[in-house]
Amino acid sequence: MKTKLSANGPLLSKIATGVWKWGEWGSNFSTTEIEKLIQASLEAGISTFDHADIYGNYGCEALFGEVLKANPSLRNEMEIVTKCGIKLISENRPSHKIKSYDTSKEHILFSVENSLKNLATDHIDLLLIHRPSPLMHPDEMAEAFTELKDSGKVLHFGVSNFTPSQFDMLNSRVELVTNQIEISALHRDPFLDGTLDKCLEKSIKPMAWSPLGSGRIFTDKEAEDVVRVRKVLTELSEKYDASFDQLLFAWLFKHPSQIIPILGTGKTERIQSAADALKINMDQEDWFRIWEAAEGNEVP
Amino acid sequence: MKTKLSANGPLLSKIATGVWKWGEWGSNFSTTEIEKLIQASLEAGISTFDHADIYGNYGCEALFGEVLKANPSLRNEMEIVTKCGIKLISENRPSHKIKSYDTSKEHILFSVENSLKNLATDHIDLLLIHRPSPLMHPDEMAEAFTELKDSGKVLHFGVSNFTPSQFDMLNSRVELVTNQIEISALHRDPFLDGTLDKCLEKSIKPMAWSPLGSGRIFTDKEAEDVVRVRKVLTELSEKYDASFDQLLFAWLFKHPSQIIPILGTGKTERIQSAADALKINMDQEDWFRIWEAAEGNEVP
Amino acid sequence: MKTKLSANGPLLSKIATGVWKWGEWGSNFSTTEIEKLIQASLEAGISTFDHADIYGNYGCEALFGEVLKANPSLRNEMEIVTKCGIKLISENRPSHKIKSYDTSKEHILFSVENSLKNLATDHIDLLLIHRPSPLMHPDEMAEAFTELKDSGKVLHFGVSNFTPSQFDMLNSRVELVTNQIEISALHRDPFLDGTLDKCLEKSIKPMAWSPLGSGRIFTDKEAEDVVRVRKVLTELSEKYDASFDQLLFAWLFKHPSQIIPILGTGKTERIQSAADALKINMDQEDWFRIWEAAEGNEVP
């Protein structure tokens, strides 16, 4: 169930497992628990793992790397995505005095070396610039990318949270294979502001973070859009014999750009459930029922 | 008085007659009345007729087709524009449960077959996608367009109500010859949001719906922008010996993209009057007087 | 300390001296005073002078030209930028009845002839369209530019206050070498709305008007963003041994597009001080401290 991210892009699974809550920022999993999650993900056909240098206060990559060190053969069964470019204030980075962005060649190379060491791997499948910096220098970034590609340390490059004009700017110097952005039925901006148009125009597949709307669909009992969407999901749940999660994933899969949602879960059963959502082919009218419920109005 | 819509586009008249109010949604004209309007339009040099599958609750094309059946030679004197892609809730489409968009190949081909049959013609000069759907699949649409072009059923393709990024996205797969959008002195967004820039950049002529601001200029006695614009039009009316309609058309004709306004009228005398507006060459300063009155401020 | 504005653009100094307040709209300098300012600017290595036909109520170019007439050799030591396209209501232009834009070929040629005569020069190094007109006709403007280039009267062309889509539109017909826009720590829109992305994508250097935020940083004692920025500048002032002006210029110089700020001053000492700011290399974190203070929030 793999898919090519773009003409020259990597093969990723159609869903990715995100690790950002596995460490300090969330569940604080042991390596045993992490190994179990990795195995469950691979068994469900979800072979792409989404990291960032900063996840878990600069800790998640190393936790994940512990498992790879103990099980070196696992590396060949997966694709690793990681990110760089944000500098957090953290006791693990005492030199940082302020939250800032750094997309200098020096920092990109430094960050990749750390990721490789922490992840106990000799290559990253896909490196993303985590946030667009107002100080991005496309030629310098292209230089860093070329050096990393030539050395085999990073195979492909992409961005995250980029506007269409930021994408065009950097893409004018170096081939980008994805834009990882927030997309969900509760966050529809990318459908309207040109971000998904750009992905379609360039034939690159977007990755979606918070594909379930940061869980707001389950926890927010008062927001009118959530109440309306829950009502529709309740009806569709029966029709498709599917959970809310699965319907919301199926809603994303319906988009022609072939969105790759990133799972935020730490539960093995929800990983399998997400993979099963790939089998749902949502009717066009049902897609628009969810859209209309989220908007609060029918389409113009 | 014809004009090429783009380098490879069709020859259309510089003004188009819109039929959307001729049926159930407006005047409910008899075929005799419609024939009279068609004749008046052709005599005024306005040979392009603007349709959509949905106009008049899916009824206008057939009413128009009745006239063409009775007078087959008329077809050669005119160009027919029609649209598809919106699905309305209607007793004429009982399968529709919700207002939605459909730009699938299947629906585009189905809609064109209906339009050809209703209009009693073997070809459509220009087919427009009526609204940008969040589920538009450019490759699939291109496939539908190619099939329709190869079979001679549709000669040219365009869009309606598209943003610049939606235009670029679809235009990357198939040559689009126009974008039909709302433009008037009371709706100036396209001058500022990049929509008309895109038309100029690509050398395509836009078509304008509601070119008189949905008649608000005549009916709204309180809105401040309308009051200011009416004041200027009253002064210019004398200078140019022209009606308000004519001045508002002349204002659109002044734009370098060569906007083609779509008449919404069902009165023969107003069709001739609109055609006469093509003779007015509005002074640059007068153009800016209307702009300033509509904005409420002088230009920056 | 010159820099090429774009691949085929002119060599300008890395800072420009703006003359807009030297005449009726500001200090009403005598030709002696103007000569002193020109000399101070050249001595500071600032050889580019930024004009517009309208500055000083259509008067500044002629004041400047008086100095050049008296000192013809000065012309070879400087680059002259001027602008056209705005028509002001003024006793010096009695035919203007309304503030409007005019980007017709006729007006561009007329305006350049006036500028050449007033500035007592046979060529303009860089001509900018002062504001985007809703009636811009790219082919007609390209025709005017070509004629001016062929005759040697204008060497290069650019724009001012253009959005990215307006830039692309005109740039599709004629090579533009800059976009002169408002940029400062207190006006950060261009960092976020695609304007600076476009400059980087096209490898053209922007020019910045009001690079100090129209002096608001010095005069506004209450606005929260100003108070926060002043606090940071006060701290950095010591670290870099630099004035507020210099820090704000250094902040602009840090951007990879190589922004050329336009000085609005009429004081010789501030010209030298600005030139000295080129020596400051602001730390990345300090750049983000100013950004964060201006925004009121840390970066996302």
Side-chain angles (χ1 to χ4, degrees), chain B:
Chain B
M1 73 154 206
K2 299 217 178 171
T3 187
K4 224 157 181 280
L5 213 47
S6 70
N8 300 310
L11 277 170
L12 300 189
S13 52
K14 291 184 178 173
I15 301 172
T17 290
V19 308
W20 76 282
K21 284 193 296 196
W22 291 7
E24 244 185 62
W25 290 354
S27 310
N28 252 320
F29 286 134
S30 65
T31 46
T32 318
E33 288 168 308
I34 289 176
E35 188 180 338
K36 221 158 51 181
L37 283 164
I38 293 176
Q39 291 289 7
S41 189
L42 291 173
E43 276 157 31
I46 302 176
S47 56
T48 300
F49 293 86
D50 184 69
H51 288 266
D53 57 341
I54 58 170
Y55 286 170
N57 192 21
Y58 294 99
C60 282
E61 287 181 330
L63 286 173
F64 196 94
E66 289 304 313
V67 176
L68 291 190
K69 268 184 226 165
N71 309 266
S73 72
L74 278 180
R75 179 64 186 92
N76 299 323
E77 299 177 44
M78 65 173 59
E79 305 83 38
I80 293 181
V81 181
T82 195
K83 314 187 191 77
C84 68
I86 299 180
K87 284 180 165 175
L88 294 183
I89 301 173
S90 161
E91 69 282 10
N92 296 324
R93 291 293 185 277
S95 69
H96 300 178
K97 302 295 182 225
I98 182 177
K99 183 174 179 190
S100 69
Y101 300 146
D102 193 343
T103 54
S104 66
K105 183 179 172 185
E106 188 190 354
H107 180 70
I108 293 173
L109 298 184
F110 164 82
S111 189
V112 166
E113 289 304 331
N114 275 328
S115 293
L116 291 173
K117 194 180 64 189
N118 290 332
L119 289 161
T121 183
D122 63 350
H123 72 284
I124 288 159
D125 294 278
L126 173 57
L127 178 72
L128 308 181
I129 298 298
H130 207 151
R131 289 262 174 200
S133 167
L135 287 183
M136 283 186 288
H137 194 313
D139 295 310
E140 187 180 336
M141 294 162 84
E143 222 180 280
F145 289 178
T146 303
E147 199 167 309
L148 289 167
K149 186 149 198 171
D150 288 349
S151 66
K153 290 177 180 172
V154 178
L155 307 189
H156 300 277
F157 301 89
V159 293
S160 186
N161 305 304
F162 270 44
T163 64
S165 71
Q166 291 162 342
F167 186 92
D168 276 344
M169 187 267 280
L170 187 55
N171 198 47
S172 72
R173 303 308 205 284
V174 69
E175 192 177 346
L176 303 173
V177 303
T178 194
N179 190 6
Q180 183 178 117
I181 48 181
E182 184 181 3
I183 325 175
S184 72
L186 295 178
H187 184 82
R188 297 172 309 288
D189 293 355
F191 293 96
L192 301 169
D193 66 10
T195 308
L196 288 174
D197 296 331
K198 181 59 67 184
C199 292
L200 286 168
E201 184 195 327
K202 300 292 180 191
S203 297
I204 61 161
K205 290 173 188 153
M207 301 178 79
W209 56 269
S210 283
L212 305 178
S214 354
R216 203 158 70 83
I217 203 79
F218 305 108
T219 56
D220 192 330
K221 303 296 185 200
E222 292 189 8
E224 289 183 21
D225 60 340
V226 173
V227 171
R228 286 188 308 258
V229 172
R230 286 179 63 86
K231 189 160 172 291
V232 173
L233 291 178
T234 303
E235 290 171 41
L236 297 182
S237 191
E238 204 163 320
K239 173 171 176 184
Y240 291 97
D241 188 20
S243 68
F244 280 19
D245 292 41
Q246 291 178 316
L247 290 168
L248 292 169
F249 287 129
W251 191 83
L252 291 181
F253 294 141
K254 188 83 180 172
H255 192 266
S257 65
Q258 300 181 50
I259 297 166
I260 297 176
I262 299 167
L263 304 186
T265 190
K267 298 193 177 138
T268 53
E269 64 276 19
R270 291 183 81 173
I271 292 176
Q272 183 57 53
S273 152
D276 291 339
L278 281 164
K279 295 172 207 147
I280 302 171
N281 183 9
M282 188 177 281
D283 288 350
Q284 191 125 325
E285 285 206 329
D286 292 330
W287 195 93
F288 278 95
R289 286 184 68 195
I290 292 173
W291 177 276
E292 181 180 302
E295 288 278 323
N297 297 297
E298 62 179 17
V299 294

Side-chain angles (χ1 to χ4, degrees), chain C residues 220-280:
Chain C
D220 192 332
K221 303 296 184 201
E222 293 188 9
E224 289 182 21
D225 60 339
V226 173
V227 171
R228 285 189 307 259
V229 172
R230 286 179 64 87
K231 190 161 170 290
V232 172
L233 292 178
T234 303
E235 290 170 41
L236 297 181
S237 191
E238 204 163 320
K239 171 172 177 184
Y240 291 97
D241 189 21
S243 68
F244 280 19
D245 293 40
Q246 290 178 316
L247 291 168
L248 291 169
F249 287 130
W251 191 83
L252 291 181
F253 294 142
K254 187 86 180 168
H255 192 266
S257 65
Q258 300 183 48
I259 296 165
I260 297 176
I262 300 167
L263 305 185
T265 189
K267 297 193 178 137
T268 55
E269 64 277 16
R270 291 184 81 174
I271 292 175
Q272 183 58 53
S273 152
D276 291 338
L278 282 165
K279 294 172 208 148
I280 301 171

Side-chain angles (χ1 to χ4, degrees), chain C:
Chain C
M1 73 151 205
K2 298 214 178 171
T3 188
K4 224 156 181 276
L5 213 47
S6 70
N8 301 311
L11 278 170
L12 299 190
S13 51
K14 291 183 179 176
I15 301 170
T17 290
V19 309
W20 76 281
K21 286 194 294 196
W22 291 8
E24 243 184 62
W25 290 353
S27 309
N28 251 321
F29 286 134
S30 67
T31 45
T32 318
E33 289 167 307
I34 289 175
E35 187 179 339
K36 221 158 50 182
L37 283 164
I38 293 175
Q39 292 288 7
S41 189
L42 291 173
E43 277 156 30
I46 301 177
S47 56
T48 300
F49 293 86
D50 184 70
H51 288 265
D53 58 339
I54 58 170
Y55 286 169
N57 192 19
Y58 293 96
C60 281
E61 288 181 332
L63 285 173
F64 195 94
E66 289 305 312
V67 176
L68 290 189
K69 267 184 223 163
N71 309 267
S73 72
L74 278 181
R75 179 64 186 93
N76 299 324
E77 300 177 44
M78 65 173 59
E79 305 84 37
I80 293 180
V81 181
T82 194
K83 312 186 191 78
C84 68
I86 299 179
K87 284 180 164 175
L88 295 182
I89 301 173
S90 160
E91 69 282 8
N92 295 326
R93 292 292 185 277
S95 70
H96 300 177
K97 302 294 183 226
I98 181 176
K99 183 175 178 190
S100 68
Y101 301 146
D102 192 343
T103 54
S104 66
K105 181 178 173 185
E106 189 189 355
H107 179 69
I108 293 172
L109 298 183
F110 164 83
S111 189
V112 166
E113 289 303 331
N114 274 330
S115 292
L116 290 172
K117 195 179 64 189
N118 288 333
L119 289 161
T121 183
D122 63 351
H123 72 283
I124 287 158
D125 294 278
L126 174 57
L127 178 72
L128 308 182
I129 299 298
H130 207 152
R131 290 261 173 200
S133 167
L135 288 183
M136 284 187 287
H137 194 313
D139 295 310
E140 187 178 338
M141 293 163 84
E143 219 181 283
F145 289 178
T146 304
E147 199 167 311
L148 288 167
K149 186 148 198 172
D150 289 349
S151 66
K153 289 176 179 172
V154 178
L155 307 188
H156 300 277
F157 302 89
V159 293
S160 186
N161 305 303
F162 271 44
T163 64
S165 70
Q166 291 161 342
F167 186 92
D168 276 344
M169 188 266 283
L170 188 55
N171 199 46
S172 72
R173 304 308 205 283
V174 70
E175 192 177 347
L176 302 173
V177 303
T178 194
N179 189 8
Q180 184 179 118
I181 50 181
E182 184 179 3
I183 324 175
S184 72
L186 296 178
H187 184 82
R188 296 171 311 288
D189 293 355
F191 292 95
L192 301 169
D193 66 9
T195 309
L196 287 175
D197 296 330
K198 182 59 67 185
C199 292
L200 286 167
E201 183 195 329
K202 300 292 181 192
S203 296
I204 62 161
K205 290 174 187 155
M207 302 179 77
W209 57 268
S210 284
L212 306 177
S214 353
R216 203 158 70 82
I217 203 78
F218 306 107
T219 56
D220 192 332
K221 303 296 184 201
E222 293 188 9
E224 289 182 21
D225 60 339
V226 173
V227 171
R228 285 189 307 259
V229 172
R230 286 179 64 87
K231 190 161 170 290
V232 172
L233 292 178
T234 303
E235 290 170 41
L236 297 181
S237 191
E238 204 163 320
K239 171 172 177 184
Y240 291 97
D241 189 21
S243 68
F244 280 19
D245 293 40
Q246 290 178 316
L247 291 168
L248 291 169
F249 287 130
W251 191 83
L252 291 181
F253 294 142
K254 187 86 180 168
H255 192 266
S257 65
Q258 300 183 48
I259 296 165
I260 297 176
I262 300 167
L263 305 185
T265 189
K267 297 193 178 137
T268 55
E269 64 277 16
R270 291 184 81 174
I271 292 175
Q272 183 58 53
S273 152
D276 291 338
L278 282 165
K279 294 172 208 148
I280 301 171
N281 183 8
M282 189 176 281
D283 288 350
Q284 191 125 323
E285 285 207 329
D286 291 331
W287 196 93
F288 278 95
R289 286 184 68 194
I290 292 172
W291 177 275
E292 180 180 301
E295 289 278 323
N297 297 297
E298 62 179 16
V299 293

